[in-house]
Amino acid sequence: MADARSSARSGIAEDVERLADHLERVNFGAYADLLQRPWRLAWLNWVGGVFRGLGIGIGFTIVAGVALMILDALTMLNLPVVGKYIAELVRIVQAELHQPTY
């Protein structure tokens, strides 16, 4: 009877130890701290959103620039059907770039 109790206790102790290890790995303490300080959570979310927005803006600018360079190179190939549409698109974009802003 005593052996069954001690083995049950050791099994529970092992379970508690595994649970503690898991909570430590997922950084549950920092998450609980954020939940207790909502202004810090709001601040971190705001800063993350600002940097995410900057990354999207810069990334889109780079992708659009590369796409326009490729389209410009395709116009130099004088493809009969596609070249006319690409040339018109490049002309529109360049006209917008050289238009004064107010």
Side-chain angles (χ1 to χ4, degrees):
M1 186 78 166
D3 289 337
R5 284 185 187 168
S6 65
S7 70
R9 285 185 184 147
S10 67
I12 292 172
E14 289 173 8
D15 290 343
V16 168
E17 185 67 31
R18 274 189 292 148
L19 178 62
D21 287 342
H22 178 70
L23 290 176
E24 190 174 316
R25 269 187 271 128
V26 298
N27 206 2
F28 185 74
Y31 176 69
D33 184 44
L34 279 177
L35 289 178
Q36 292 174 357
R37 297 167 48 190
W39 286 108
R40 176 156 168 74
L41 180 61
W43 170 254
L44 289 175
N45 281 328
W46 183 79
V47 169
V50 166
F51 281 108
R52 201 170 298 116
L54 284 172
I56 289 170
I58 292 170
F60 179 75
T61 302
I62 291 170
V63 168
V66 169
L68 285 175
M69 287 172 42
I70 291 171
L71 289 175
D72 194 33
L74 285 175
T75 59
M76 299 301 167
L77 295 176
N78 273 339
L79 299 174
V81 177
V82 180
K84 182 174 67 172
Y85 294 111
I86 293 173
E88 181 67 20
L89 179 64
V90 170
R91 187 191 61 76
I92 291 170
V93 170
Q94 287 178 345
E96 284 294 320
L97 288 176
H98 297 297
Q99 198 174 45
T101 58
Y102 299 102

